[in-house]
Coordinates of all heavy atoms in Angstrom, one line a residue:
Chain A
S1173 N 5.0 0.2 -3.3 CA 5.4 -1.2 -3.6 C 6.5 -1.1 -4.7 O 7.4 -1.9 -4.7 CB 4.2 -1.9 -4.1 OG 3.2 -2.0 -3.1
G1174 N 6.3 -0.2 -5.7 CA 7.3 -0.2 -6.8 C 8.1 1.0 -6.7 O 8.4 1.6 -5.7
N1175 N 8.5 1.6 -7.9 CA 9.3 2.8 -7.9 C 8.4 4.0 -7.6 O 7.3 4.1 -8.2 CB 9.9 3.0 -9.3 CG 11.0 1.9 -9.6 OD1 11.7 1.5 -8.6 ND2 11.1 1.4 -10.8
P1176 N 8.8 4.9 -6.8 CA 8.0 6.0 -6.4 C 8.1 7.2 -7.4 O 9.2 7.5 -7.9 CB 8.5 6.4 -5.1 CG 10.0 6.1 -5.2 CD 10.1 4.9 -6.0
Y1177 N 7.0 7.8 -7.7 CA 7.0 9.1 -8.3 C 6.5 10.1 -7.3 O 5.5 9.9 -6.7 CB 6.0 9.1 -9.5 CG 6.4 8.2 -10.7 CD1 5.4 7.8 -11.6 CD2 7.7 7.8 -10.9 CE1 5.8 7.0 -12.7 CE2 8.0 7.0 -11.9 CZ 7.1 6.7 -12.8 OH 7.4 5.9 -13.9
L1178 N 7.4 11.0 -7.0 CA 7.2 11.9 -5.8 C 7.0 13.3 -6.2 O 7.6 13.8 -7.2 CB 8.4 11.8 -4.9 CG 8.6 10.4 -4.2 CD1 10.0 10.2 -3.9 CD2 7.7 10.3 -3.0
F1179 N 6.1 14.0 -5.5 CA 5.7 15.4 -5.9 C 5.7 16.3 -4.6 O 5.4 15.8 -3.5 CB 4.3 15.4 -6.5 CG 4.2 14.5 -7.7 CD1 3.9 13.2 -7.5 CD2 4.2 15.1 -9.0 CE1 3.8 12.3 -8.6 CE2 4.1 14.2 -10.1 CZ 3.8 12.9 -9.9
W1180 N 5.9 17.6 -4.8 CA 5.7 18.6 -3.8 C 4.7 19.6 -4.4 O 4.9 20.1 -5.5 CB 6.9 19.3 -3.3 CG 7.6 18.5 -2.2 CD1 8.8 17.8 -2.3 CD2 7.3 18.5 -0.8 NE1 9.1 17.3 -1.1 CE2 8.2 17.7 -0.2 CE3 6.3 19.1 -0.1 CZ2 8.2 17.5 1.2 CZ3 6.2 18.9 1.3 CH2 7.2 18.1 1.9
Y1181 N 3.7 20.0 -3.6 CA 2.8 21.0 -3.9 C 2.7 22.0 -2.8 O 2.9 21.7 -1.6 CB 1.4 20.4 -4.1 CG 1.2 19.5 -5.3 CD1 1.5 18.2 -5.2 CD2 0.7 20.0 -6.5 CE1 1.3 17.3 -6.3 CE2 0.5 19.2 -7.6 CZ 0.8 17.9 -7.5 OH 0.7 17.0 -8.6
V1182 N 2.3 23.3 -3.1 CA 2.2 24.3 -2.1 C 0.7 24.9 -2.3 O 0.2 25.0 -3.4 CB 3.2 25.4 -2.3 CG1 3.1 26.1 -3.7 CG2 3.1 26.5 -1.2
Q1183 N 0.2 25.2 -1.1 CA -1.2 25.8 -1.1 C -1.1 27.1 -0.3 O -0.9 27.1 0.9 CB -2.2 24.9 -0.5 CG -3.6 25.4 -0.6 CD -4.6 24.4 -0.1 OE1 -4.3 23.6 0.8 NE2 -5.8 24.4 -0.7
Y1184 N -1.5 28.2 -1.0 CA -1.6 29.5 -0.3 C -3.1 29.7 0.1 O -4.0 29.0 -0.4 CB -1.2 30.6 -1.3 CG 0.3 30.5 -1.7 CD1 0.7 30.0 -2.9 CD2 1.3 31.0 -0.8 CE1 2.0 29.9 -3.2 CE2 2.6 30.9 -1.1 CZ 3.0 30.3 -2.3 OH 4.3 30.2 -2.6
P1185 N -3.3 30.6 1.1 CA -4.7 30.7 1.6 C -5.7 31.0 0.4 O -5.4 31.8 -0.5 CB -4.6 31.9 2.5 CG -3.2 31.9 2.9 CD -2.4 31.4 1.8
N1186 N -6.8 30.3 0.5 CA -7.9 30.5 -0.4 C -7.6 30.1 -1.9 O -8.1 30.7 -2.8 CB -8.5 31.9 -0.3 CG -9.0 32.2 1.0 OD1 -9.7 31.5 1.7 ND2 -8.6 33.4 1.5
R1187 N -6.6 29.3 -2.0 CA -6.2 28.8 -3.3 C -6.1 27.3 -3.4 O -6.1 26.6 -2.4 CB -4.8 29.4 -3.7 CG -4.7 30.9 -3.5 CD -5.2 31.6 -4.7 NE -4.4 31.5 -5.9 CZ -3.3 32.3 -6.1 NH1 -2.9 33.2 -5.3 NH2 -2.6 32.1 -7.2
G1188 N -6.0 26.8 -4.6 CA -5.8 25.4 -4.8 C -4.3 25.1 -4.7 O -3.5 25.9 -4.4
L1189 N -4.0 23.8 -4.8 CA -2.6 23.4 -4.7 C -1.9 23.8 -6.0 O -2.4 23.7 -7.1 CB -2.5 21.8 -4.5 CG -2.7 21.3 -3.1 CD1 -4.1 21.5 -2.6 CD2 -2.3 19.9 -3.0
Q1190 N -0.6 24.1 -5.8 CA 0.2 24.5 -6.9 C 1.5 23.6 -7.0 O 2.1 23.4 -6.0 CB 0.6 26.0 -6.8 CG 1.4 26.6 -7.9 CD 1.7 28.1 -7.6 OE1 0.9 28.7 -6.9 NE2 2.7 28.6 -8.2
F1191 N 1.7 23.0 -8.1 CA 2.9 22.1 -8.3 C 4.2 22.8 -8.1 O 4.4 23.9 -8.7 CB 2.8 21.5 -9.7 CG 4.0 20.7 -10.1 CD1 4.3 19.5 -9.5 CD2 4.9 21.2 -11.1 CE1 5.4 18.8 -9.9 CE2 6.0 20.6 -11.5 CZ 6.3 19.3 -10.9
L1192 N 5.1 22.2 -7.3 CA 6.4 22.8 -7.1 C 7.5 22.1 -7.9 O 8.3 22.6 -8.6 CB 6.8 22.8 -5.7 CG 6.3 23.9 -4.8 CD1 6.8 23.7 -3.3 CD2 6.8 25.3 -5.3
L1193 N 7.5 20.7 -7.7 CA 8.6 19.9 -8.3 C 8.2 18.4 -8.2 O 7.3 18.1 -7.5 CB 9.9 20.2 -7.7 CG 10.1 20.1 -6.2 CD1 10.1 18.7 -5.6 CD2 11.3 20.9 -5.7
K1194 N 8.9 17.6 -9.0 CA 8.7 16.2 -8.9 C 10.0 15.4 -9.1 O 10.9 15.9 -9.8 CB 7.6 15.8 -9.9 CG 8.1 16.0 -11.4 CD 6.9 15.5 -12.3 CE 7.3 15.8 -13.8 NZ 6.2 15.5 -14.7
Y1195 N 10.0 14.2 -8.6 CA 11.1 13.2 -8.9 C 10.4 12.0 -9.6 O 9.5 11.4 -9.1 CB 11.7 12.7 -7.6 CG 12.7 11.6 -7.9 CD1 14.0 11.8 -8.3 CD2 12.3 10.3 -7.7 CE1 14.8 10.8 -8.6 CE2 13.1 9.2 -8.0 CZ 14.4 9.5 -8.5 OH 15.2 8.5 -8.8
I1196 N 11.0 11.8 -10.8 CA 10.6 10.6 -11.6 C 11.7 9.6 -11.6 O 11.5 8.4 -11.3 CB 10.1 11.0 -13.0 CG1 9.0 12.1 -12.9 CG2 9.6 9.8 -13.8 CD1 7.8 11.7 -12.2
T1197 N 12.8 10.0 -12.1 CA 14.0 9.1 -12.2 C 15.2 10.0 -12.4 O 15.1 11.2 -12.6 CB 13.8 8.1 -13.4 OG1 14.9 7.2 -13.3 CG2 13.9 8.8 -14.7
G1198 N 16.4 9.4 -12.3 CA 17.6 10.2 -12.6 C 18.2 10.9 -11.4 O 18.3 10.3 -10.3
D1199 N 18.7 12.1 -11.5 CA 19.4 12.8 -10.5 C 18.5 12.9 -9.2 O 17.3 13.3 -9.3 CB 19.7 14.2 -11.0 CG 20.7 14.9 -10.1 OD1 21.0 14.4 -9.0 OD2 21.3 16.0 -10.6
N1200 N 19.1 12.6 -8.1 CA 18.4 12.6 -6.8 C 18.0 14.0 -6.4 O 17.1 14.1 -5.5 CB 19.2 11.9 -5.7 CG 19.3 10.4 -6.0 OD1 18.5 9.8 -6.8 ND2 20.2 9.7 -5.3
L1201 N 18.7 15.0 -6.8 CA 18.4 16.4 -6.4 C 17.6 17.0 -7.5 O 18.0 17.1 -8.7 CB 19.7 17.2 -6.2 CG 19.5 18.6 -5.7 CD1 18.8 18.6 -4.3 CD2 20.8 19.3 -5.6
V1202 N 16.4 17.4 -7.1 CA 15.4 17.9 -8.1 C 15.2 19.4 -7.8 O 15.0 19.8 -6.6 CB 14.1 17.2 -8.0 CG1 13.1 17.8 -9.0 CG2 14.2 15.7 -8.3
K1203 N 15.3 20.2 -8.8 CA 15.1 21.7 -8.6 C 13.7 22.0 -9.2 O 13.2 21.5 -10.2 CB 16.2 22.5 -9.3 CG 17.5 22.3 -8.7 CD 18.5 23.2 -9.3 CE 19.9 23.0 -8.7 NZ 20.0 23.3 -7.2
G1204 N 13.0 23.0 -8.5 CA 11.7 23.3 -8.9 C 11.5 24.8 -8.9 O 12.4 25.6 -9.0
S1205 N 10.2 25.2 -8.7 CA 9.8 26.6 -8.8 C 10.2 27.4 -7.5 O 10.4 26.8 -6.5 CB 8.3 26.7 -8.9 OG 7.8 26.0 -10.0
Y1206 N 10.4 28.7 -7.7 CA 10.6 29.6 -6.6 C 11.9 29.3 -5.7 O 11.9 29.6 -4.5 CB 9.4 29.7 -5.7 CG 8.1 29.9 -6.4 CD1 7.1 28.9 -6.4 CD2 7.9 31.0 -7.2 CE1 5.9 29.1 -7.0 CE2 6.7 31.2 -7.9 CZ 5.7 30.2 -7.8 OH 4.5 30.3 -8.5
G1207 N 12.8 28.6 -6.3 CA 14.1 28.3 -5.6 C 14.0 27.1 -4.8 O 15.0 26.8 -4.0
F1208 N 12.9 26.4 -4.8 CA 12.8 25.1 -4.0 C 13.5 24.0 -4.7 O 13.6 23.9 -5.9 CB 11.4 24.8 -3.8 CG 10.7 25.6 -2.7 CD1 10.0 26.7 -3.1 CD2 10.8 25.3 -1.4 CE1 9.4 27.5 -2.1 CE2 10.2 26.0 -0.4 CZ 9.5 27.2 -0.8
E1209 N 14.0 23.1 -3.9 CA 14.6 21.8 -4.4 C 14.3 20.7 -3.4 O 13.8 21.0 -2.3 CB 16.1 22.0 -4.5 CG 16.8 22.3 -3.3 CD 18.3 22.7 -3.5 OE1 18.7 23.1 -4.6 OE2 19.1 22.5 -2.6
A1210 N 14.4 19.5 -3.9 CA 14.1 18.3 -3.0 C 15.1 17.2 -3.3 O 15.5 17.1 -4.5 CB 12.7 17.8 -3.2
E1211 N 15.4 16.5 -2.3 CA 16.4 15.4 -2.5 C 15.7 14.0 -2.3 O 15.2 13.8 -1.2 CB 17.6 15.5 -1.5 CG 18.7 14.5 -1.8 CD 20.0 14.9 -1.1 OE1 20.0 15.8 -0.3 OE2 21.0 14.2 -1.4
F1212 N 15.8 13.2 -3.3 CA 15.3 11.9 -3.2 C 16.3 10.9 -2.5 O 17.5 10.9 -3.0 CB 14.9 11.3 -4.6 CG 14.6 9.9 -4.6 CD1 13.5 9.4 -4.0 CD2 15.4 9.0 -5.4 CE1 13.1 8.0 -4.0 CE2 15.1 7.6 -5.4 CZ 13.9 7.2 -4.7
N1213 N 16.0 10.3 -1.5 CA 16.9 9.3 -0.8 C 16.2 8.0 -0.7 O 15.3 7.8 0.1 CB 17.2 9.9 0.6 CG 18.3 9.0 1.3 OD1 18.3 7.8 1.2 ND2 19.2 9.7 1.9
K1214 N 16.6 7.1 -1.6 CA 15.9 5.8 -1.7 C 16.1 4.9 -0.4 O 15.2 4.3 0.1 CB 16.4 5.0 -2.9 CG 15.7 3.7 -3.2 CD 16.1 3.1 -4.5 CE 15.3 1.9 -4.8 NZ 15.6 1.3 -6.1
S1215 N 17.3 5.0 0.2 CA 17.6 4.1 1.3 C 16.8 4.6 2.5 O 16.3 3.8 3.4 CB 19.0 4.1 1.7 OG 19.5 5.4 2.0
Q1216 N 16.5 5.9 2.6 CA 15.7 6.4 3.8 C 14.3 6.6 3.4 O 13.5 7.1 4.2 CB 16.4 7.7 4.3 CG 17.8 7.5 4.8 CD 18.3 8.8 5.4 OE1 17.6 9.8 5.5 NE2 19.6 8.8 5.8
T1217 N 13.9 6.3 2.2 CA 12.6 6.5 1.6 C 12.1 7.9 2.0 O 11.0 8.1 2.5 CB 11.6 5.5 2.1 OG1 11.4 5.5 3.5 CG2 12.0 4.1 1.6
S1218 N 12.9 8.9 1.7 CA 12.6 10.3 2.0 C 12.6 11.2 0.8 O 13.3 10.9 -0.2 CB 13.5 10.8 3.1 OG 14.8 11.0 2.6
F1219 N 11.9 12.3 0.8 CA 11.9 13.3 -0.3 C 11.7 14.6 0.4 O 10.6 15.3 0.3 CB 10.8 12.9 -1.3 CG 10.8 13.7 -2.5 CD1 12.0 13.8 -3.3 CD2 9.7 14.4 -3.0 CE1 12.0 14.5 -4.5 CE2 9.7 15.2 -4.1 CZ 10.9 15.2 -4.9
H1220 N 12.7 15.1 1.1 CA 12.6 16.4 1.9 C 12.7 17.6 0.9 O 13.5 17.6 0.0 CB 13.7 16.5 2.9 CG 13.6 15.4 3.9 ND1 12.5 14.7 4.3 CD2 14.6 14.8 4.6 CE1 12.8 13.7 5.2 NE2 14.1 13.8 5.4
L1221 N 11.8 18.6 1.2 CA 11.8 19.8 0.5 C 12.8 20.8 1.1 O 12.7 21.0 2.4 CB 10.4 20.4 0.4 CG 10.2 21.7 -0.4 CD1 10.3 21.4 -1.9 CD2 8.8 22.3 -0.1
K1222 N 13.5 21.5 0.3 CA 14.5 22.5 0.9 C 14.6 23.8 0.1 O 14.2 23.8 -1.1 CB 15.9 21.8 0.9 CG 16.0 20.5 1.7 CD 17.4 20.0 1.7 CE 17.4 18.7 2.5 NZ 18.8 18.1 2.7
K1223 N 15.0 24.8 0.8 CA 15.3 26.1 0.2 C 16.4 26.7 0.9 O 16.4 26.8 2.2 CB 14.1 27.0 0.1 CG 14.2 28.2 -0.7 CD 12.9 29.0 -0.8 CE 13.1 30.2 -1.7 NZ 11.9 31.0 -1.8
P1224 N 17.5 27.2 0.2 CA 18.6 27.8 0.9 C 18.3 29.0 1.8 O 18.9 29.2 2.8 CB 19.6 28.1 -0.2 CG 19.1 27.3 -1.4 CD 17.6 27.2 -1.2
S1225 N 17.4 29.8 1.3 CA 17.1 31.1 2.0 C 15.6 31.4 2.0 O 15.1 31.7 0.9 CB 17.9 32.2 1.3 OG 17.6 33.5 2.0
A1226 N 15.0 31.3 3.1 CA 13.5 31.4 3.1 C 13.1 32.9 3.0 O 13.7 33.8 3.4 CB 13.0 30.8 4.5
L1227 N 11.9 33.0 2.4 CA 11.3 34.3 2.3 C 9.9 34.3 3.0 O 9.3 33.3 3.1 CB 11.0 34.6 0.8 CG 12.1 34.7 -0.2 CD1 11.6 34.8 -1.6 CD2 13.1 35.9 0.2
V1228 N 9.5 35.5 3.5 CA 8.2 35.6 4.2 C 7.1 35.1 3.3 O 6.2 34.4 3.7 CB 8.0 37.0 4.6 CG1 6.5 37.2 5.2 CG2 9.0 37.4 5.7
S1229 N 7.2 35.3 2.0 CA 6.2 34.9 1.0 C 6.2 33.4 0.8 O 5.3 32.9 0.2 CB 6.4 35.6 -0.3 OG 7.7 35.3 -0.8
D1230 N 7.1 32.7 1.4 CA 7.1 31.2 1.3 C 6.1 30.6 2.3 O 5.8 29.4 2.3 CB 8.5 30.6 1.5 CG 9.5 30.9 0.4 OD1 9.0 31.1 -0.7 OD2 10.7 31.0 0.7
S1231 N 5.6 31.4 3.2 CA 4.7 30.9 4.2 C 3.4 30.4 3.6 O 2.8 31.1 2.8 CB 4.3 32.1 5.2 OG 5.5 32.6 5.9
A1232 N 3.2 29.1 3.8 CA 2.1 28.5 3.1 C 2.0 27.0 3.7 O 2.7 26.6 4.5 CB 2.3 28.4 1.6
L1233 N 1.0 26.3 3.1 CA 0.9 24.9 3.4 C 1.5 24.0 2.3 O 1.2 24.2 1.1 CB -0.6 24.6 3.5 CG -1.1 23.2 4.1 CD1 -0.5 23.0 5.5 CD2 -2.6 23.2 4.1
Y1234 N 2.4 23.1 2.7 CA 3.1 22.3 1.7 C 2.7 20.8 1.8 O 2.6 20.3 2.9 CB 4.6 22.4 2.0 CG 5.1 23.8 1.6 CD1 5.0 24.9 2.5 CD2 5.7 24.0 0.4 CE1 5.4 26.1 2.1 CE2 6.2 25.3 0.0 CZ 6.0 26.3 0.9 OH 6.4 27.6 0.6
F1235 N 2.5 20.2 0.7 CA 2.0 18.8 0.6 C 3.0 18.0 -0.2 O 3.4 18.4 -1.3 CB 0.7 18.7 -0.1 CG -0.5 19.3 0.7 CD1 -0.9 20.6 0.5 CD2 -1.1 18.6 1.6 CE1 -1.9 21.2 1.2 CE2 -2.2 19.1 2.4 CZ -2.6 20.4 2.1
C1236 N 3.4 16.9 0.4 CA 4.2 15.9 -0.3 C 3.2 14.8 -0.9 O 2.1 14.6 -0.2 CB 5.1 15.2 0.7 SG 6.2 14.0 0.0

Side-chain angles (χ1 to χ4, degrees):
Chain A
S1173 302
N1175 292 324
Y1177 292 160
L1178 294 154
F1179 304 82
W1180 275 102
Y1181 291 86
V1182 60
Q1183 186 176 30
Y1184 297 100
N1186 301 314
R1187 305 281 288 276
L1189 279 67
Q1190 185 176 334
F1191 169 72
L1192 276 180
L1193 51 80
K1194 65 182 177 182
Y1195 172 82
I1196 302 302
T1197 187
D1199 196 346
N1200 290 342
L1201 184 64
V1202 179
K1203 294 188 183 295
S1205 307
Y1206 312 118
F1208 284 94
E1209 57 189 29
E1211 186 165 12
F1212 170 64
N1213 188 317
K1214 188 173 183 177
S1215 63
Q1216 297 185 4
T1217 62
S1218 67
F1219 190 56
H1220 301 331
L1221 182 70
K1222 300 183 180 185
K1223 187 173 182 180
S1225 178
L1227 299 172
V1228 172
S1229 58
D1230 292 330
S1231 299
L1233 188 57
Y1234 289 81
F1235 293 93
C1236 181

